[in-house]
Amino acid sequence: MSTKPLIPVSRRGFLGGSAATLSVAAAKPASAQATPPDQTKPRKKGVTFTLNGRSQQLDADTRLTLLDALRGPLGLPGSKKGCDHGQCGACTVHVDGERRLSCLTLAASLEGREVVTIEGLADGEDLHPMQQAFIDNDAFQCGYCTPGQIMSAVACVKEGHARTDEEIREYMSGNLCRCSAYPNIVAAVKQAKGRM
Ligand code: FES
Ligand code: FES
């Protein structure tokens, strides 16, 4: 089979064509060649949201996660950082009444939202029924996963997903406990369900 080009092109012609192509590229408008913005420079965004029942303003670096905002500038270290990758549930909070992994939520995205953390569950000195149930049923050991477990457990009941042990296990499966307090956690959810 012939490998000759359909239109004969001399080496000089080919080089000339390449040079022309390059000069067209070089002649592109300046806007197309503008230097991209420096992604390493921090950018801030002001957000106003409700945090545990109070209006909260935050001038947040657009890369700041809700978890780091809570544990840092907002001074609420109850939500725990386990994996920081959305895999353990230790950082679970409620946003607009639904459970949310705060390590995967950007603080800058919270404008107008309502955030509740483990610090906002109790009613003054009165523990939330789920907090009390965790104590009554010995549902924690080291306690590291407990804030996230409790926030998920409250949502699990409110969602109507606590009808059977199997259902509780299924809907709590995003919250890992390295101490394996699972049977007692299920018992706590069942107890609190009737008191919420
Ligand atoms: S710290 Fe957020 S899921 Fe593990
Ligand atoms: S009680 Fe220790 S990780 Fe759950």
Side-chain angles (χ1 to χ4, degrees), residues 104-177:
L104 296 186
T105 303
L106 290 175
S109 72
L110 293 171
E111 181 65 36
R113 307 284 183 142
E114 184 173 355
V115 178
V116 177
T117 69
I118 188 70
E119 289 92 343
L121 266 198
D123 182 9
E125 294 294 302
D126 296 330
L127 292 180
H128 185 282
M130 192 63 77
Q131 292 173 308
Q132 189 61 54
F134 266 65
I135 294 170
D136 293 347
N137 291 278
D138 204 15
F140 54 93
Q141 292 177 43
C142 78
Y144 196 81
C145 72
T146 308
Q149 297 279 5
I150 289 175
M151 297 308 286
S152 260
V154 170
C156 182
V157 172
K158 286 188 173 167
E159 291 161 7
H161 290 138
R163 285 167 295 197
T164 63
D165 288 16
E166 290 68 33
E167 198 177 39
I168 293 169
R169 283 196 200 98
E170 174 69 22
Y171 282 88
M172 291 293 292
S173 62
N175 289 76
L176 306 184
C177 174

Side-chain angles (χ1 to χ4, degrees), residues 23-88:
S23 63
V24 166
K28 273 188 179 174
S31 60
Q33 298 178 9
T35 313
D38 184 354
Q39 302 290 339
T40 61
K41 273 193 179 164
R43 285 194 297 149
K44 299 249 179 171
K45 182 170 184 236
V47 279
T48 303
F49 57 101
T50 305
L51 179 58
N52 295 335
R54 290 189 181 168
S55 179
Q56 177 72 56
Q57 289 184 317
L58 184 67
D59 200 18
D61 183 313
T62 50
R63 301 163 297 183
L64 182 69
T65 65
L66 173 57
L67 178 60
D68 285 339
L70 290 170
R71 295 180 57 81
L74 298 176
L76 295 175
S79 306
K80 297 294 181 268
K81 184 180 281 198
C83 63
D84 210 17
H85 282 84
Q87 293 176 353
C88 73

